[in-house]
Amino acid sequence: MALEWVVLGYTAGAEAIMLLLLTVPGLGGLRKGLIAVTRNLLKPFMSVVPFSLFLLMDIYWKYETRPSCDAESCTPSEYLRHQKSIMKSQRNALLIAAALILYWLLYSVTSLVVKIEQLNQRLEKLKNRD
């Protein structure tokens, strides 16, 4: 079960790195290659959305079927395990949210950078024509 969280974590990390590289100023020569790579990776990274929804449903199912454990009704070790399980679920929900937000940001930034590049090319054509 931990492998899917590792995959989601690496995907979110890759999205964050690509987003950072696209928004860093001064990478003029590399920007065209980064845009091409990012645009080609957006479709495979789209699988993050249904995968995250599946994992979110898994968290919800585990939350609903989890036995309740109050401080008085269970032993200290059971209570600690219950609290640890809740913290893991919260951490995983944050990872899901981060992966989805990073994908949306990467898609938005990539489309904006592509539009800026197209406008710069049109501007150069107009300057060369005059």
Side-chain angles (χ1 to χ4, degrees):
M1 203 65 173
L3 182 62
E4 58 214 16
W5 297 110
V6 171
V7 169
L8 189 64
Y10 282 148
T11 304
E15 290 171 349
I17 289 170
M18 285 189 289
L19 187 62
L20 182 68
L21 288 175
L22 280 176
T23 56
V24 169
L27 297 177
L30 289 174
R31 189 163 314 273
K32 289 183 182 183
L34 288 171
I35 292 170
V37 168
T38 305
R39 287 183 75 187
N40 288 334
L41 286 176
L42 278 176
K43 284 185 182 180
F45 277 174
M46 181 63 180
S47 64
V48 165
V49 175
F51 189 61
S52 294
L53 293 176
F54 168 74
L55 292 176
L56 196 61
M57 289 188 325
D58 183 50
I59 289 173
Y60 177 74
W61 178 78
K62 285 179 181 176
Y63 178 77
E64 287 295 319
T65 60
R66 179 182 299 134
S68 64
C69 183
D70 296 329
E72 300 88 23
S73 67
C74 54
T75 65
S77 64
E78 290 173 342
Y79 184 72
L80 185 63
R81 184 173 51 225
H82 178 71
Q83 292 298 321
K84 188 177 176 181
S85 175
I86 289 173
M87 289 187 60
K88 278 185 177 180
S89 295
Q90 291 170 349
R91 179 199 62 199
N92 292 340
L94 284 174
L95 181 61
I96 290 170
L100 291 174
I101 289 170
L102 284 171
Y103 179 79
W104 176 71
L105 284 172
L106 185 64
Y107 178 80
S108 299
V109 167
T110 303
S111 65
L112 287 175
V113 169
V114 168
K115 286 179 185 177
I116 289 171
E117 288 292 324
Q118 289 173 349
L119 289 173
N120 284 338
Q121 289 175 357
R122 289 172 70 188
L123 186 63
E124 286 296 322
K125 285 182 183 178
L126 288 174
K127 283 183 181 178
N128 289 338
R129 191 183 327 162
D130 292 341

